Structures are given as structure tokens and as C-alpha cells.
Amino acid sequence: MTKPAVSVIMAAYNAEAYLHAAVESILNQSFTDLELIVVNDGSTDATADILTEYAERDARVTIIHQDNAGSAAARNAAIARCRGDFIAIMDGDDIAHPGRLEQQVVFLTQNPEYAAVSCRCELIDESGAHIKTQRARTPAQEAGVPLEELLRLPPGPILVNQTAMIRMSSLDDTGATYRPWFRGFLEDFDLSLRVAEKHRIAHLNAPPLCQYRQYPEGSANNMSQNQVLFWHYWCAAVLSAHCRRQGVADPIDHATAADSPPCDLLPALKTLPHPIKAACMKSARHWCRRSLRNGMSHAAEQIIDGLTTLATDKHDRRALKKVLRGVLFYALRAGQWRYAMKVAHQLAVPLKQ
């Protein structure tokens, strides 16, 4: 079998409602020298049957069936089967623009110094209705850019995972895979930090080349806990990146999804250099804003409680003060008056120290 130029990997779990559109959007790409590797991650609906139909109809489709193990394990299983020089990442409920692969292949072919490229995407809801278009990001990053500079980007992946195309060689020489320890929280951010340590990455700020489906976050309790976990995992990925760059053992390197939660790593953040610690503090503002916007002041409270433990000197307290001011503004804007009073009290504490 001829080796394809691009291997598209797709993780699918109970995706029967959207799988046809996702698979068709890849098989109908203007760039046709591809293989599509889909991992059925223990689905209990008709996902397996739908994929079997496509595999019988199109030789470019390969299916991997596994017990449910999460998105990281599913993507890793697909990567292990890839034969192409480029790996394009896709989810089983997203839709790729017909020219997505072609534009990304052209960029990476014409710019061999870059290892990966992603692009903007349009966020859609369960019915396919437009929510918003993702903001443009920094067009390019140099290889080995200082960690504190990478962290100036908005919280989230440096590469937009659902639209990323990565050279297979860059994954091979960094040993980078999705780490199951992240349990579906920002493992793409962790992967992008590891690729960026040795390679240049880019972002195409052209019109969106992918539609990314978003869902309601479930019950208020789950949604609240998720915001706290997002911040914890974001900080854990940053701590992990700092350790690697300093030649220190990566605390997550051999961890599994069953190991200790990310909050156990928060005390270690106190040892980070101030610019990196300040970035961790600043990122908390993002998750607090999301919590307050959805009426979950208790989630913002948990984040701020963790945040205050990181302030160990006047520089940290100055950074904390800036974050608290932002959170106070969000609390007032959301009408969370009781919580706003609590933040105002916390804001006064650093001023006295």
C-alpha cells in the first residue's frame, strides 16, 4: 500500500449523531493523498457500524476498536498506526473545511523549518448553529521560545488541537504523545508545550478551516468542578514544562490517569520563577471569569483560594493583586455581590503586607 502524505487521526466515542459529517468532511477534502484512522473508543451506540460502512467503501479508512480509555489514549492509538509524514488531528463530531488539509500541507511544505501548524475554527453548538469564531492567535513561534513568553498567550493550547497538523518527525524526536494523566483536561496544551520546546510552530489566521462542536457542560456541580480542574491541569502542564527545561525530572512523565489529582502539585508551583508563577496566576482569571459568567462563584472561590497560597513575596502579591482586581470586576459584572465583597476583602490583604 502506498504511503500517504497525511494521516488524519480521529477519536470517536458515541458519536453516531455527528460521525457521518465528520468523516465525510475528511474524505471529501481537496487534498486526497491521505489516510483516515478512526479510533472507536468503546462506543455503545452505532459508531462502530457507521465506521465499518466507511471502511468497506473507502480503502483510506482504518478503524481501531478499543475499550473506553479516554481521548488521550484513543489519539495515541491512532498515532501509533500513522504512516504519513504529517498528522492532522480531528474529532468525531467536528467538521473540516474542504481546503483545510491542502492549506496546511502547502504551508508545512513551503516552510520546512516549522513542525506544526493550526488554524482558527468556528465554534458551533449541538445543532450546528454558529456560536462564535475563534480569535486569531500569534502567527508563529520560534523553537525553544522561553516558557514565560509562550504563556502570554490566552489560556488553552498553543496549537488549536482540533485543527492541528504536526510533522510525524517532530513527535518522534520529542517523544511527545497525549498523556492520559490529564483525563481530558488540556492534554493538548501539554502536548503543544512539549513540541514547542524543540520546534517552531505556526498558526494560520485565515478564515476558519474547521467547525468545532461545543456542548452544555452538564450539571452545575460538574461544570463548577471542571473550571477548577482546568486551572489545576493548566498549572500542572506549566510546572511539567518548566521542570523539563531545567533538566529536572518531569513530575507527570510516568503518571497515569489513576494517579494523584493535579491539586497535589500546586505546592510545587511556589518554587517557580516569578514570571512563570505570575502566568499561572493570570490564567486563574480566565477560569474565574468562566465560573462567574455561569453563576458559579464557589468555583471561582476555590480557584482564588489556591491562588493565594502561591504568593510568597512582594512580586507575587503584586501579580495576585492584578488578578483579584480582574476577578472583582467580573464578579460585579455578573451580579455576584456577596462574592465581590469577599474578593474586595482579599484584595485588601496584599496591600497591607
Side-chain angles (χ1 to χ4, degrees):
M1 186 180 295
T2 304
K3 176 182 174 181
V6 176
S7 296
V8 182
I9 66 170
M10 181 183 295
Y13 174 69
N14 288 349
E16 63 177 359
Y18 310 111
L19 194 55
H20 284 289
V23 173
E24 292 284 351
S25 74
I26 294 300
L27 299 182
N28 293 323
Q29 287 284 302
S30 59
F31 185 89
T32 59
D33 187 13
L34 62 88
E35 65 176 349
L36 172 60
I37 303 173
V38 189
V39 178
N40 172 29
D41 189 31
S43 299
T44 57
D45 62 2
T47 293
D49 295 334
I50 294 171
L51 292 176
T52 298
E53 291 178 10
Y54 278 108
E56 292 174 348
R57 190 191 322 167
D58 195 318
R60 295 176 297 173
V61 179
T62 298
I63 311 169
I64 301 173
H65 297 284
Q66 66 177 31
D67 293 336
N68 182 248
S71 57
R75 290 174 182 146
N76 289 339
I79 290 173
R81 295 280 293 273
C82 289
R83 297 180 296 123
D85 293 326
F86 306 114
I87 297 177
I89 301 164
M90 179 86 174
D91 281 339
D93 54 359
D94 297 336
I95 302 172
H97 183 279
R100 175 201 160 180
L101 297 183
E102 181 177 6
Q103 291 191 40
Q104 292 181 313
V105 168
V106 167
F107 176 86
L108 290 175
T109 301
Q110 294 179 348
N111 299 275
E113 68 275 20
Y114 285 93
V117 62
S118 63
C119 54
R120 298 170 71 192
C121 60
E122 175 193 5
L123 304 185
I124 58 175
D125 65 15
E126 292 173 286
S127 67
H130 172 83
I131 298 176
K132 66 177 181 179
T133 298
Q134 203 170 43
R135 291 184 299 174
R137 289 175 175 263
T138 304
Q141 291 289 350
E142 298 296 327
V145 65
L147 184 58
E148 56 268 29
E149 291 187 23
L150 282 177
L151 299 181
R152 289 174 186 165
L153 297 173
I158 299 163
L159 285 169
V160 180
N161 191 64
Q162 296 79 11
T163 70
M165 180 177 285
I166 307 173
R167 293 185 194 275
M168 185 62 160
S169 58
S170 70
L171 294 183
D172 289 339
D173 64 25
T174 58
T177 58
Y178 293 95
R179 298 200 275 189
W181 180 82
F182 282 86
R183 300 177 176 90
F185 290 91
L186 299 179
E187 66 256 26
D188 47 353
F189 175 58
D190 172 65
L191 178 68
S192 59
L193 284 176
R194 285 180 288 143
V195 172
E197 288 171 16
K198 296 184 178 181
H199 299 285
R200 298 180 71 178
I201 58 178
H203 186 80
L204 302 179
N205 283 326
L209 295 178
C210 180
Q211 290 181 311
Y212 171 55
R213 205 175 300 273
Q214 287 196 324
Y215 303 92
E217 297 191 55
S219 69
N221 285 338
N222 286 341
M223 189 175 180
S224 173
Q225 186 61 25
N226 283 352
Q227 303 313 308
V228 179
L229 287 172
F230 269 122
W231 182 62
H232 286 171
Y233 279 111
W234 195 93
C235 291
V238 170
L239 174 65
S240 173
H242 174 71
C243 290
R244 289 192 306 273
R245 289 173 180 238
Q246 298 301 310
V248 179
D250 185 338
I252 306 173
D253 221 11
H254 302 291
T256 68
D259 288 329
S260 58
C263 59
D264 290 354
L265 295 176
L266 288 183
L269 298 177
K270 296 179 181 179
T271 64
L272 291 174
H274 173 70
I276 299 176
K277 193 192 301 185
C280 290
M281 291 182 170
K282 184 178 179 181
S283 72
R285 188 167 60 188
H286 170 78
W287 308 117
C288 284
R289 179 177 62 203
R290 291 187 61 176
S291 300
L292 293 168
R293 188 171 58 203
N294 291 284
M296 300 175 301
S297 61
H298 51 293
E301 185 173 347
Q302 288 183 60
I303 295 171
I304 292 301
D305 285 346
L307 190 63
T308 54
T309 65
L310 303 183
T312 58
D313 59 31
K314 65 179 181 180
H315 300 293
D316 295 342
R317 290 193 291 271
R318 191 176 297 121
L320 175 61
K321 178 179 173 181
K322 291 179 65 174
V323 173
L324 289 173
R325 281 177 171 170
V327 173
L328 176 59
F329 171 77
Y330 299 139
L332 291 171
R333 189 173 182 179
Q336 300 282 336
W337 311 117
R338 182 175 298 180
Y339 182 64
M341 290 293 291
K342 182 169 184 176
V343 174
H345 173 73
Q346 290 177 300
L347 181 59
V349 173
L351 294 175
K352 297 176 181 178
Q353 294 180 342

